[in-house]
Amino acid sequence: MLRNMLLKFPWNQVRKPNPQPQKSPKANEIKLSGPPCTSSPINQLPVELLEAIFLENLRHAYRYRAELLKLLLVCRRWRSVASRLELISIQVEGEQRVSKLISHIIKLRKANHQEVPHAPTNNLSIKAEWSKPLPELGGLLELLGSSLEKLEIDGDYDGRSLSSSCIQRTTIELPKLRELCFSNARPEDLVLLLCASRSTLQSLYIFTTSLFILPAEGDWKASFPSLHQLRLTNHTIPLSTCMTLCALAPNLEYLEVSILRGGIDALVGVLRSLPKSMKELMVWIRVGKYDSLTGRDPEVRPLLDCIKEKGWKKEVIAHMSCGSWTVDDD
């Protein structure tokens, strides 16, 4: 039925729209061509101020590279400014990528034709692949060490990837380093990095799944006056290492430590020797899968009484493989 209706419809009587004649361009007509409009206030800012705004935005970004890419895609001017910030924060994993990064940095530094050089690197995160060494680690730290403010080094589980010889072959200076995160690597490497950042280091974080014992003697055993925060977050780190580091930090304010259940009494002895500047303490107590630990247990009372006597803010947490809970005064 619909087919018959369409066939009988007088299509020849349908009026077609008249084509509109093209207008000739007027003499005073403005053509929108050429460079984009620069009347926006943000485009009138000096390059230095625009770069400072980008840096502040990137400093608080969760994903640095993703936020930087957004800035690069806005316009040509923003791209020219944001491209100089690509080395502010670097995350690299594996020997091949470290080698490529070193070559890229050397190439950028040799490009003397740039009007404004790249901004220096403030944050560096290095992660080793499983059981593979990083022979270029020392060279990378030598290139970027003068401007680093935060350094993260993560080796494999047994510490074989980051051999101390990789760092000892070079002269490393870390005059601006404030935060050092050291995971699953050799104690000898940590000592070298501590010596290079003695006067500026404020926060030290150590995590390892193997026995971590610092050398008993050496020139590194001197005061770290700026060290305010110390985090030792695995029970494989002996309390002797904790005591050694606390003794070198006369202005320590925050301590986070992890121990086994049988090491509570030894920890109390360490806490009584801490400096008066201490303000906050966090203790992780490793217990068995079917154990229970509360503030009423006799073995915990000396720890809680010591903390109460010192007047510190505290958080004592018992944890196991399937969960954790707070241990406090009942």
Side-chain angles (χ1 to χ4, degrees), residues 113-176:
H113 62 276
Q114 295 181 357
E115 296 181 1
V116 182
H118 280 68
T121 304
N122 293 334
N123 302 331
L124 176 61
S125 177
I126 307 172
K127 185 176 181 180
E129 295 178 343
W130 175 258
S131 298
K132 293 184 179 180
L134 288 175
E136 303 291 341
L137 173 62
L140 181 60
L141 294 179
E142 190 175 9
L143 280 175
L144 305 177
S146 60
S147 60
L148 285 181
E149 297 180 2
K150 181 179 179 180
L151 175 60
E152 298 180 7
I153 297 181
D154 186 1
D156 61 10
Y157 289 108
D158 57 6
R160 288 179 295 176
S161 291
L162 301 179
S163 61
S164 57
S165 59
C166 293
I167 299 180
Q168 287 178 345
R169 286 198 298 264
T170 58
T171 303
I172 299 175
E173 296 181 0
L174 305 170
K176 298 182 181 180

Short mmCIF file of all heavy atoms in Angstrom, two decimals, residues 113-176:
data_model
loop_
_atom_site.label_atom_id
_atom_site.label_comp_id
_atom_site.label_asym_id
_atom_site.label_seq_id
_atom_site.Cartn_x
_atom_site.Cartn_y
_atom_site.Cartn_z
N HIS A 113 71.10 25.46 20.95
CA HIS A 113 70.32 26.42 20.18
C HIS A 113 69.03 26.79 20.87
O HIS A 113 68.34 27.72 20.45
CB HIS A 113 70.01 25.84 18.81
CG HIS A 113 69.17 24.59 18.86
ND1 HIS A 113 69.72 23.35 19.06
CD2 HIS A 113 67.83 24.42 18.76
CE1 HIS A 113 68.76 22.43 19.06
NE2 HIS A 113 67.60 23.05 18.88
N GLN A 114 68.63 26.08 21.93
CA GLN A 114 67.39 26.40 22.63
C GLN A 114 67.54 27.71 23.37
O GLN A 114 68.55 27.98 24.03
CB GLN A 114 67.04 25.29 23.62
CG GLN A 114 66.73 23.95 22.94
CD GLN A 114 66.37 22.90 23.96
OE1 GLN A 114 66.42 23.16 25.15
NE2 GLN A 114 66.00 21.73 23.47
N GLU A 115 66.49 28.54 23.25
CA GLU A 115 66.51 29.83 23.94
C GLU A 115 66.42 29.65 25.45
O GLU A 115 67.10 30.32 26.21
CB GLU A 115 65.36 30.69 23.45
CG GLU A 115 65.46 31.06 21.96
CD GLU A 115 64.31 31.93 21.52
OE1 GLU A 115 63.48 32.24 22.38
OE2 GLU A 115 64.28 32.30 20.34
N VAL A 116 65.55 28.74 25.88
CA VAL A 116 65.38 28.46 27.31
C VAL A 116 65.62 26.97 27.53
O VAL A 116 64.97 26.14 26.90
CB VAL A 116 63.97 28.85 27.80
CG1 VAL A 116 63.84 28.59 29.29
CG2 VAL A 116 63.68 30.30 27.47
N PRO A 117 66.55 26.58 28.37
CA PRO A 117 66.84 25.15 28.58
C PRO A 117 65.71 24.45 29.32
O PRO A 117 64.81 25.08 29.88
CB PRO A 117 68.12 25.19 29.42
CG PRO A 117 68.06 26.50 30.14
CD PRO A 117 67.39 27.45 29.19
N HIS A 118 65.77 23.13 29.32
CA HIS A 118 64.77 22.34 30.03
C HIS A 118 64.89 22.55 31.54
O HIS A 118 65.98 22.77 32.07
CB HIS A 118 64.93 20.85 29.70
CG HIS A 118 64.33 20.47 28.40
ND1 HIS A 118 64.83 20.90 27.20
CD2 HIS A 118 63.23 19.70 28.10
CE1 HIS A 118 64.10 20.40 26.21
NE2 HIS A 118 63.13 19.67 26.73
N ALA A 119 63.74 22.50 32.20
CA ALA A 119 63.73 22.62 33.65
C ALA A 119 64.42 21.42 34.27
O ALA A 119 64.33 20.31 33.77
CB ALA A 119 62.29 22.73 34.15
N PRO A 120 65.12 21.59 35.39
CA PRO A 120 65.86 20.48 36.00
C PRO A 120 64.91 19.44 36.60
O PRO A 120 63.75 19.72 36.91
CB PRO A 120 66.69 21.18 37.09
CG PRO A 120 65.93 22.42 37.41
CD PRO A 120 65.29 22.85 36.12
N THR A 121 65.43 18.24 36.78
CA THR A 121 64.64 17.13 37.32
C THR A 121 64.58 17.24 38.84
O THR A 121 65.60 17.32 39.51
CB THR A 121 65.27 15.79 36.92
OG1 THR A 121 65.38 15.73 35.49
CG2 THR A 121 64.42 14.64 37.41
N ASN A 122 63.35 17.20 39.38
CA ASN A 122 63.14 17.27 40.83
C ASN A 122 62.81 15.90 41.43
O ASN A 122 63.20 15.60 42.55
CB ASN A 122 62.02 18.25 41.17
CG ASN A 122 62.39 19.68 40.85
OD1 ASN A 122 63.56 20.04 40.82
ND2 ASN A 122 61.41 20.51 40.57
N ASN A 123 62.07 15.08 40.68
CA ASN A 123 61.65 13.77 41.18
C ASN A 123 62.14 12.68 40.24
O ASN A 123 61.96 12.78 39.02
CB ASN A 123 60.12 13.69 41.29
CG ASN A 123 59.54 14.76 42.20
OD1 ASN A 123 60.20 15.20 43.14
ND2 ASN A 123 58.33 15.17 41.93
N LEU A 124 62.75 11.65 40.81
CA LEU A 124 63.27 10.54 40.01
C LEU A 124 62.90 9.23 40.69
O LEU A 124 63.17 9.03 41.88
CB LEU A 124 64.79 10.64 39.87
CG LEU A 124 65.49 9.47 39.14
CD1 LEU A 124 64.98 9.36 37.70
CD2 LEU A 124 67.00 9.65 39.16
N SER A 125 62.26 8.34 39.92
CA SER A 125 61.87 7.02 40.41
C SER A 125 62.49 5.97 39.51
O SER A 125 62.25 5.95 38.31
CB SER A 125 60.34 6.89 40.43
OG SER A 125 59.95 5.60 40.83
N ILE A 126 63.30 5.09 40.09
CA ILE A 126 64.01 4.05 39.35
C ILE A 126 63.59 2.69 39.90
O ILE A 126 63.64 2.46 41.11
CB ILE A 126 65.53 4.20 39.47
CG1 ILE A 126 65.98 5.62 39.10
CG2 ILE A 126 66.25 3.18 38.61
CD1 ILE A 126 67.43 5.89 39.38
N LYS A 127 63.20 1.80 39.00
CA LYS A 127 62.80 0.46 39.40
C LYS A 127 63.56 -0.56 38.57
O LYS A 127 63.59 -0.48 37.35
CB LYS A 127 61.30 0.25 39.23
CG LYS A 127 60.81 -1.09 39.76
CD LYS A 127 59.30 -1.20 39.66
CE LYS A 127 58.82 -2.54 40.22
NZ LYS A 127 57.35 -2.66 40.14
N ALA A 128 64.18 -1.51 39.24
CA ALA A 128 64.94 -2.55 38.54
C ALA A 128 64.03 -3.70 38.15
O ALA A 128 63.02 -3.97 38.80
CB ALA A 128 66.07 -3.06 39.43
N GLU A 129 64.38 -4.35 37.06
CA GLU A 129 63.67 -5.56 36.67
C GLU A 129 64.18 -6.74 37.49
O GLU A 129 65.26 -6.69 38.07
CB GLU A 129 63.87 -5.82 35.17
CG GLU A 129 63.26 -4.74 34.29
CD GLU A 129 63.51 -5.00 32.82
OE1 GLU A 129 64.41 -5.80 32.51
OE2 GLU A 129 62.81 -4.40 32.01
N TRP A 130 63.39 -7.79 37.51
CA TRP A 130 63.71 -8.93 38.37
C TRP A 130 65.06 -9.53 38.00
O TRP A 130 65.30 -9.96 36.88
CB TRP A 130 62.62 -9.98 38.25
CG TRP A 130 62.92 -11.23 39.01
CD1 TRP A 130 63.37 -12.41 38.51
CD2 TRP A 130 62.82 -11.42 40.41
NE1 TRP A 130 63.54 -13.33 39.49
CE2 TRP A 130 63.22 -12.75 40.69
CE3 TRP A 130 62.44 -10.62 41.48
CZ2 TRP A 130 63.23 -13.28 41.97
CZ3 TRP A 130 62.45 -11.14 42.75
CH2 TRP A 130 62.84 -12.45 42.99
N SER A 131 65.98 -9.53 38.98
CA SER A 131 67.30 -10.16 38.87
C SER A 131 68.14 -9.61 37.71
O SER A 131 68.99 -10.31 37.18
CB SER A 131 67.16 -11.69 38.72
OG SER A 131 66.54 -12.24 39.86
N LYS A 132 67.91 -8.37 37.32
CA LYS A 132 68.71 -7.75 36.28
C LYS A 132 69.38 -6.51 36.85
O LYS A 132 68.74 -5.70 37.51
CB LYS A 132 67.84 -7.37 35.08
CG LYS A 132 67.29 -8.57 34.33
CD LYS A 132 66.53 -8.14 33.10
CE LYS A 132 66.01 -9.34 32.33
NZ LYS A 132 65.26 -8.95 31.11
N PRO A 133 70.66 -6.33 36.61
CA PRO A 133 71.39 -5.20 37.19
C PRO A 133 71.07 -3.89 36.49
O PRO A 133 70.46 -3.85 35.42
CB PRO A 133 72.86 -5.59 36.99
CG PRO A 133 72.83 -6.44 35.75
CD PRO A 133 71.53 -7.20 35.79
N LEU A 134 71.50 -2.81 37.11
CA LEU A 134 71.38 -1.47 36.54
C LEU A 134 72.77 -0.84 36.47
O LEU A 134 73.14 -0.03 37.32
CB LEU A 134 70.45 -0.60 37.39
CG LEU A 134 68.96 -0.92 37.33
CD1 LEU A 134 68.19 -0.05 38.30
CD2 LEU A 134 68.41 -0.74 35.92
N PRO A 135 73.57 -1.19 35.48
CA PRO A 135 74.93 -0.67 35.42
C PRO A 135 74.99 0.83 35.19
O PRO A 135 76.02 1.46 35.47
CB PRO A 135 75.56 -1.45 34.25
CG PRO A 135 74.41 -1.86 33.42
CD PRO A 135 73.28 -2.11 34.37
N GLU A 136 73.91 1.44 34.66
CA GLU A 136 73.92 2.87 34.38
C GLU A 136 73.33 3.69 35.51
O GLU A 136 73.14 4.90 35.36
CB GLU A 136 73.13 3.14 33.09
CG GLU A 136 73.63 2.39 31.87
CD GLU A 136 74.98 2.92 31.41
OE1 GLU A 136 75.33 4.06 31.79
OE2 GLU A 136 75.68 2.20 30.68
N LEU A 137 73.04 3.06 36.65
CA LEU A 137 72.41 3.79 37.74
C LEU A 137 73.28 4.93 38.24
O LEU A 137 72.81 6.06 38.44
CB LEU A 137 72.10 2.82 38.89
CG LEU A 137 71.59 3.46 40.18
CD1 LEU A 137 70.28 4.17 39.94
CD2 LEU A 137 71.44 2.41 41.27
N GLY A 138 74.56 4.66 38.44
CA GLY A 138 75.46 5.71 38.92
C GLY A 138 75.56 6.87 37.96
O GLY A 138 75.58 8.04 38.37
N GLY A 139 75.63 6.59 36.65
CA GLY A 139 75.71 7.66 35.67
C GLY A 139 74.47 8.52 35.65
O GLY A 139 74.54 9.75 35.48
N LEU A 140 73.29 7.91 35.82
CA LEU A 140 72.05 8.67 35.84
C LEU A 140 71.98 9.58 37.07
O LEU A 140 71.58 10.75 36.97
CB LEU A 140 70.86 7.72 35.82
CG LEU A 140 69.47 8.36 35.81
CD1 LEU A 140 69.29 9.24 34.58
CD2 LEU A 140 68.38 7.29 35.87
N LEU A 141 72.37 9.05 38.22
CA LEU A 141 72.37 9.87 39.43
C LEU A 141 73.40 10.99 39.35
O LEU A 141 73.20 12.08 39.89
CB LEU A 141 72.64 9.00 40.66
CG LEU A 141 71.55 7.97 41.00
CD1 LEU A 141 71.96 7.16 42.21
CD2 LEU A 141 70.22 8.66 41.26
N GLU A 142 74.49 10.74 38.66
CA GLU A 142 75.50 11.78 38.49
C GLU A 142 75.00 12.91 37.60
O GLU A 142 75.31 14.08 37.82
CB GLU A 142 76.77 11.18 37.89
CG GLU A 142 77.96 12.12 37.89
CD GLU A 142 79.22 11.44 37.39
OE1 GLU A 142 79.12 10.30 36.89
OE2 GLU A 142 80.29 12.04 37.51
N LEU A 143 74.16 12.56 36.60
CA LEU A 143 73.61 13.58 35.71
C LEU A 143 72.55 14.43 36.38
O LEU A 143 72.51 15.66 36.20
CB LEU A 143 73.02 12.91 34.47
CG LEU A 143 73.97 12.48 33.35
CD1 LEU A 143 73.20 11.72 32.28
CD2 LEU A 143 74.66 13.68 32.75
N LEU A 144 71.68 13.81 37.16
CA LEU A 144 70.51 14.49 37.70
C LEU A 144 70.61 14.82 39.18
O LEU A 144 69.72 15.50 39.71
CB LEU A 144 69.25 13.63 37.47
CG LEU A 144 68.98 13.20 36.03
CD1 LEU A 144 67.75 12.29 35.99
CD2 LEU A 144 68.77 14.40 35.14
N GLY A 145 71.64 14.36 39.86
CA GLY A 145 71.70 14.47 41.32
C GLY A 145 71.71 15.89 41.83
O GLY A 145 71.21 16.17 42.92
N SER A 146 72.25 16.85 41.10
CA SER A 146 72.39 18.22 41.59
C SER A 146 71.06 18.91 41.80
O SER A 146 70.98 19.88 42.56
CB SER A 146 73.25 19.03 40.63
OG SER A 146 72.65 19.07 39.34
N SER A 147 69.99 18.45 41.14
CA SER A 147 68.69 19.12 41.26
C SER A 147 67.62 18.24 41.90
O SER A 147 66.49 18.71 42.10
CB SER A 147 68.19 19.56 39.88
OG SER A 147 68.04 18.44 39.02
N LEU A 148 67.93 17.00 42.25
CA LEU A 148 66.91 16.09 42.78
C LEU A 148 66.43 16.52 44.15
O LEU A 148 67.23 16.86 45.03
CB LEU A 148 67.46 14.66 42.85
CG LEU A 148 67.60 13.89 41.55
CD1 LEU A 148 68.13 12.49 41.83
CD2 LEU A 148 66.27 13.81 40.82
N GLU A 149 65.11 16.48 44.34
CA GLU A 149 64.50 16.73 45.64
C GLU A 149 63.86 15.46 46.22
O GLU A 149 63.71 15.34 47.42
CB GLU A 149 63.44 17.83 45.52
CG GLU A 149 64.02 19.18 45.11
CD GLU A 149 62.96 20.25 45.00
OE1 GLU A 149 61.77 19.94 45.29
OE2 GLU A 149 63.28 21.38 44.61
N LYS A 150 63.47 14.54 45.34
CA LYS A 150 62.89 13.26 45.78
C LYS A 150 63.46 12.14 44.93
O LYS A 150 63.47 12.25 43.70
CB LYS A 150 61.37 13.29 45.67
CG LYS A 150 60.71 12.00 46.14
CD LYS A 150 59.20 12.08 46.03
CE LYS A 150 58.53 10.78 46.48
NZ LYS A 150 57.06 10.84 46.39
N LEU A 151 63.93 11.09 45.58
CA LEU A 151 64.54 9.96 44.88
C LEU A 151 63.93 8.66 45.39
O LEU A 151 63.89 8.42 46.60
CB LEU A 151 66.05 9.95 45.09
CG LEU A 151 66.83 8.75 44.53
CD1 LEU A 151 66.66 8.65 43.03
CD2 LEU A 151 68.30 8.84 44.90
N GLU A 152 63.45 7.83 44.46
CA GLU A 152 62.90 6.52 44.79
C GLU A 152 63.69 5.46 44.04
O GLU A 152 63.82 5.52 42.81
CB GLU A 152 61.42 6.43 44.39
CG GLU A 152 60.52 7.42 45.11
CD GLU A 152 59.07 7.30 44.69
OE1 GLU A 152 58.77 6.35 43.94
OE2 GLU A 152 58.26 8.13 45.09
N ILE A 153 64.23 4.51 44.77
CA ILE A 153 64.98 3.40 44.18
C ILE A 153 64.36 2.10 44.65
O ILE A 153 64.25 1.85 45.85
CB ILE A 153 66.47 3.46 44.57
CG1 ILE A 153 67.12 4.73 44.01
CG2 ILE A 153 67.20 2.23 44.07
CD1 ILE A 153 68.58 4.84 44.33
N ASP A 154 63.96 1.28 43.70
CA ASP A 154 63.32 0.00 44.01
C ASP A 154 64.07 -1.10 43.27
O ASP A 154 64.03 -1.19 42.05
CB ASP A 154 61.85 0.03 43.58
CG ASP A 154 61.10 -1.22 44.03
OD1 ASP A 154 61.73 -2.07 44.69
OD2 ASP A 154 59.89 -1.33 43.75
N GLY A 155 64.77 -1.95 44.02
CA GLY A 155 65.46 -3.08 43.43
C GLY A 155 64.59 -4.32 43.45
O GLY A 155 63.39 -4.26 43.72
N ASP A 156 65.17 -5.47 43.15
CA ASP A 156 64.39 -6.70 43.25
C ASP A 156 64.40 -7.19 44.70
O ASP A 156 64.93 -6.55 45.60
CB ASP A 156 64.92 -7.76 42.28
CG ASP A 156 66.37 -8.14 42.58
OD1 ASP A 156 66.86 -7.71 43.64
OD2 ASP A 156 67.00 -8.83 41.78
N TYR A 157 63.82 -8.34 44.95
CA TYR A 157 63.58 -8.77 46.32
C TYR A 157 64.84 -9.16 47.08
O TYR A 157 64.87 -9.06 48.30
CB TYR A 157 62.59 -9.95 46.32
CG TYR A 157 61.20 -9.54 45.96
CD1 TYR A 157 60.66 -9.88 44.74
CD2 TYR A 157 60.45 -8.76 46.82
CE1 TYR A 157 59.37 -9.48 44.39
CE2 TYR A 157 59.17 -8.36 46.48
CZ TYR A 157 58.65 -8.72 45.27
OH TYR A 157 57.38 -8.31 44.93
N ASP A 158 65.88 -9.57 46.37
CA ASP A 158 67.08 -9.97 47.10
C ASP A 158 68.20 -8.93 47.00
O ASP A 158 69.29 -9.15 47.48
CB ASP A 158 67.60 -11.32 46.61
CG ASP A 158 67.88 -11.33 45.11
OD1 ASP A 158 67.77 -10.25 44.49
OD2 ASP A 158 68.19 -12.39 44.58
N GLY A 159 67.92 -7.80 46.36
CA GLY A 159 68.91 -6.73 46.31
C GLY A 159 70.03 -6.94 45.33
O GLY A 159 70.99 -6.18 45.31
N ARG A 160 69.97 -7.94 44.46
CA ARG A 160 71.07 -8.18 43.54
C ARG A 160 71.09 -7.20 42.38
O ARG A 160 72.12 -6.97 41.77
CB ARG A 160 70.99 -9.61 42.99
CG ARG A 160 71.34 -10.67 44.00
CD ARG A 160 71.20 -12.04 43.39
NE ARG A 160 69.80 -12.32 43.06
CZ ARG A 160 69.41 -13.42 42.43
NH1 ARG A 160 70.29 -14.33 42.08
NH2 ARG A 160 68.13 -13.62 42.16
N SER A 161 69.96 -6.59 42.05
CA SER A 161 69.91 -5.71 40.89
C SER A 161 70.74 -4.46 41.10
O SER A 161 71.39 -3.97 40.19
CB SER A 161 68.46 -5.31 40.59
OG SER A 161 67.75 -6.43 40.13
N LEU A 162 70.71 -3.91 42.30
CA LEU A 162 71.40 -2.65 42.56
C LEU A 162 72.68 -2.95 43.33
O LEU A 162 72.72 -2.86 44.55
CB LEU A 162 70.49 -1.69 43.35
CG LEU A 162 69.18 -1.34 42.64
CD1 LEU A 162 68.35 -0.42 43.50
CD2 LEU A 162 69.45 -0.69 41.30
N SER A 163 73.71 -3.32 42.64
CA SER A 163 74.98 -3.60 43.30
C SER A 163 75.66 -2.30 43.68
O SER A 163 75.55 -1.30 42.98
CB SER A 163 75.89 -4.41 42.38
OG SER A 163 76.18 -3.69 41.20
N SER A 164 76.37 -2.30 44.78
CA SER A 164 76.99 -1.07 45.27
C SER A 164 78.03 -0.55 44.31
O SER A 164 78.30 0.65 44.27
CB SER A 164 77.61 -1.32 46.64
OG SER A 164 78.55 -2.38 46.56
N SER A 165 78.66 -1.41 43.51
CA SER A 165 79.71 -0.96 42.60
C SER A 165 79.17 -0.01 41.54
O SER A 165 79.90 0.82 41.02
CB SER A 165 80.37 -2.16 41.92
OG SER A 165 79.40 -2.92 41.20
N CYS A 166 77.89 -0.11 41.19
CA CYS A 166 77.31 0.78 40.19
C CYS A 166 77.35 2.22 40.67
O CYS A 166 77.47 3.15 39.87
CB CYS A 166 75.87 0.37 39.89
SG CYS A 166 75.74 -1.23 39.07
N ILE A 167 77.20 2.44 41.96
CA ILE A 167 77.20 3.80 42.49
C ILE A 167 78.61 4.23 42.87
O ILE A 167 78.99 5.38 42.71
CB ILE A 167 76.26 3.89 43.71
CG1 ILE A 167 74.83 3.53 43.28
CG2 ILE A 167 76.28 5.26 44.33
CD1 ILE A 167 73.83 3.59 44.40
N GLN A 168 79.43 3.33 43.35
CA GLN A 168 80.76 3.70 43.82
C GLN A 168 81.67 4.16 42.70
O GLN A 168 82.62 4.88 42.94
CB GLN A 168 81.38 2.50 44.54
CG GLN A 168 80.76 2.23 45.91
CD GLN A 168 81.37 1.02 46.57
OE1 GLN A 168 82.05 0.22 45.94
NE2 GLN A 168 81.11 0.86 47.86
N ARG A 169 81.39 3.75 41.46
CA ARG A 169 82.25 4.15 40.35
C ARG A 169 82.09 5.61 39.97
O ARG A 169 82.84 6.13 39.17
CB ARG A 169 81.97 3.26 39.13
CG ARG A 169 82.50 1.86 39.24
CD ARG A 169 82.57 1.23 37.86
NE ARG A 169 81.26 1.12 37.26
CZ ARG A 169 80.51 0.02 37.31
NH1 ARG A 169 80.95 -1.04 37.98
NH2 ARG A 169 79.34 -0.03 36.72
N THR A 170 81.08 6.27 40.49
CA THR A 170 80.81 7.66 40.14
C THR A 170 80.80 8.52 41.38
O THR A 170 80.68 8.04 42.50
CB THR A 170 79.47 7.78 39.41
OG1 THR A 170 78.45 7.26 40.27
CG2 THR A 170 79.48 7.01 38.10
N THR A 171 80.89 9.82 41.16
CA THR A 171 80.81 10.78 42.25
C THR A 171 79.42 11.38 42.25
O THR A 171 79.04 12.12 41.34
CB THR A 171 81.85 11.89 42.08
OG1 THR A 171 83.15 11.29 42.01
CG2 THR A 171 81.80 12.87 43.23
N ILE A 172 78.63 11.07 43.27
CA ILE A 172 77.24 11.51 43.35
C ILE A 172 77.12 12.62 44.38
O ILE A 172 77.61 12.50 45.50
CB ILE A 172 76.32 10.35 43.72
CG1 ILE A 172 76.41 9.25 42.66
CG2 ILE A 172 74.88 10.82 43.86
CD1 ILE A 172 75.61 8.03 43.00
N GLU A 173 76.47 13.70 43.99
CA GLU A 173 76.17 14.80 44.89
C GLU A 173 74.68 15.06 44.86
O GLU A 173 74.09 15.23 43.80
CB GLU A 173 76.94 16.06 44.48
CG GLU A 173 78.46 15.91 44.59
CD GLU A 173 79.17 17.19 44.20
OE1 GLU A 173 78.47 18.17 43.85
OE2 GLU A 173 80.41 17.22 44.24
N LEU A 174 74.07 15.10 46.03
CA LEU A 174 72.63 15.33 46.17
C LEU A 174 72.40 16.51 47.11
O LEU A 174 71.89 16.35 48.22
CB LEU A 174 71.94 14.07 46.70
CG LEU A 174 72.16 12.78 45.89
CD1 LEU A 174 71.62 11.58 46.64
CD2 LEU A 174 71.52 12.89 44.52
N PRO A 175 72.75 17.72 46.69
CA PRO A 175 72.70 18.86 47.61
C PRO A 175 71.30 19.35 47.93
O PRO A 175 71.13 20.12 48.88
CB PRO A 175 73.49 19.93 46.85
CG PRO A 175 73.31 19.58 45.41
CD PRO A 175 73.26 18.08 45.36
N LYS A 176 70.27 18.91 47.16
CA LYS A 176 68.91 19.39 47.39
C LYS A 176 67.94 18.27 47.78
O LYS A 176 66.75 18.52 47.94
CB LYS A 176 68.38 20.08 46.13
CG LYS A 176 69.17 21.32 45.73
CD LYS A 176 68.56 21.97 44.50
CE LYS A 176 69.35 23.20 44.08
NZ LYS A 176 68.77 23.85 42.88
#
